[in-house]
Amino acid sequence: MRGYSEDYFSSRRMFNWGDEWHMSFAGCGFRSIYYVGALSCILERVPRLVCGASTFGGASSGCLVAAALAVGIPIEKLCFMILITAKEARKHILGVFHPRFSLLRVVQRSLLDMLPEDAHLRATGRLCVSLTQLSNGRNVLVSEFASRDELVQVLTCSCFFPIYCGFIPPSYRGVLYMDGALSNNMPLFEHRNTITLAPFSGESDICPTEGTFNFFEAHYSNVSIQVNTGNVHRVCTSFLPPRLEKLAEICHNGYMDALRFLKKQVSAQTYH
């Protein structure tokens, strides 16, 4: 497998191997499979970019990806979790809106199966989860976890989208929270050495490029999203469980977008 020169990487004005760096994942529902593809590409070609990151941040479904990286869960398990969740939702005629289906319950069960007993110790200081207070809409960033159960609570709170995930919001330390993407969809965005990822075309470091006409660019919760037909489709389908073939396509797109990002940073002679 061909790799990239870290020496050339360090010459980037926006990235410095000498400083600590971070990775941040925007919330995107079922399109989080995009991150599996992107991470697969990076781990194949510049593994240190992931393995050496100081902090992983995320909101909503993005925080599940960040948690997997912070705790040390292989991306294969993360991929399996996303596929199982989509499969469970597709069993019902109304999908996630079927009264017998609870997306939050499936996520909780998957986290309990996937997270090791010391997950909270591994995650403390390395994971930054974005939450939105239900009472006032204020953003809260959590990076310390007293127990594995508390870690699961925080991740669940960040994934709770009102009505879509139900009507009873989850709580963390006695406070009700909802989807972190509603107030800050890209935690750690303000740090210079943060690599941002989003499956929507915009200004994130790793994201799709759009060949269609862009009406304008919207900035929402620290994420820049181009307003175009492609993104309208992406946002809408984030809430719907895609078929296996579509998930595979999204995953492949993530791989290719990450590859394009890496190629922008290096010259042809750095291949080996």
Side-chain angles (χ1 to χ4, degrees):
M1 181 62 64
R2 296 187 304 179
Y4 296 93
S5 165
E6 292 182 0
D7 291 336
Y8 196 93
F9 237 101
S10 64
S11 68
R12 288 181 60 208
R13 183 178 304 175
M14 295 176 59
F15 188 87
N16 188 346
W17 286 106
D19 297 333
E20 65 175 13
W21 65 90
H22 319 275
M23 299 187 76
S24 188
F25 302 85
C28 54
F30 288 101
R31 282 191 170 264
S32 56
I33 195 75
Y34 176 91
Y35 299 135
V36 173
L39 290 169
S40 296
C41 178
I42 297 174
L43 288 170
E44 284 179 1
R45 297 163 187 269
V46 192
R48 186 186 167 198
L49 203 59
V50 173
C51 301
S54 175
T55 315
F56 301 99
S60 194
S61 61
C63 78
L64 303 180
V65 179
L69 294 176
V71 170
I73 295 172
I75 59 172
E76 291 82 5
K77 283 191 175 183
L78 175 65
C79 181
F80 182 73
M81 172 185 174
I82 298 171
L83 294 176
I84 287 298
T85 304
K87 181 181 178 181
E88 287 289 323
R90 289 189 62 84
K91 285 182 180 180
H92 307 283
I93 297 177
L94 299 177
V96 295
F97 298 104
H98 194 282
R100 293 185 180 178
F101 179 79
S102 171
L103 181 59
L104 224 55
R105 188 163 56 242
V106 173
V107 170
Q108 286 176 326
R109 186 172 67 241
S110 297
L111 287 171
L112 290 172
D113 290 341
M114 186 172 63
L115 294 174
E117 290 300 321
D118 64 343
H120 59 294
L121 300 177
R122 300 187 192 185
T124 293
R126 293 207 71 204
L127 173 64
C128 180
V129 181
S130 175
L131 305 178
T132 303
Q133 281 189 315
L134 183 67
S135 60
N136 53 26
R138 292 179 58 184
N139 181 252
V140 174
L141 298 179
V142 181
S143 57
E144 295 184 1
F145 313 94
S147 66
R148 178 172 175 265
D149 287 341
E150 185 171 275
L151 173 58
V152 173
Q153 289 174 13
V154 172
L155 296 173
T156 301
C157 285
S158 186
C159 293
F160 178 79
F161 197 92
I163 301 177
Y164 177 74
C165 289
F167 296 91
I168 303 176
S171 65
Y172 158 62
R173 295 187 178 180
V175 179
L176 299 177
Y177 289 97
M178 55 184 176
D179 200 311
L182 297 173
S183 57
N184 184 356
N185 201 19
M186 194 72 79
L188 308 175
F189 171 82
E190 67 279 4
H191 294 282
R192 179 187 177 193
N193 250 19
T194 295
I195 300 170
T196 56
L197 298 90
F200 312 110
S201 61
E203 293 185 353
S204 297
D205 292 316
I206 298 177
C207 68
T209 56
E210 198 66 60
T212 57
F213 176 74
N214 297 316
F215 298 105
F216 57 88
E217 194 162 295
H219 295 265
Y220 176 74
S221 295
N222 286 340
V223 176
S224 169
I225 300 178
Q226 295 170 349
V227 180
N228 52 52
T229 53
N231 270 345
V232 169
H233 172 74
R234 293 186 187 100
V235 171
C236 291
T237 55
S238 294
F239 293 94
L240 304 173
R243 295 180 180 275
L244 181 61
E245 296 79 8
K246 184 61 178 179
L247 288 169
E249 177 187 333
I250 296 171
C251 185
H252 174 72
N253 291 340
Y255 186 101
M256 298 307 296
D257 290 339
L259 181 60
R260 185 178 65 251
F261 164 74
L262 295 176
K263 284 183 176 180
K264 285 182 179 179
Q265 317 308 324
V266 297
S267 59
Q269 67 265 23
T270 61
Y271 293 126
H272 59 80

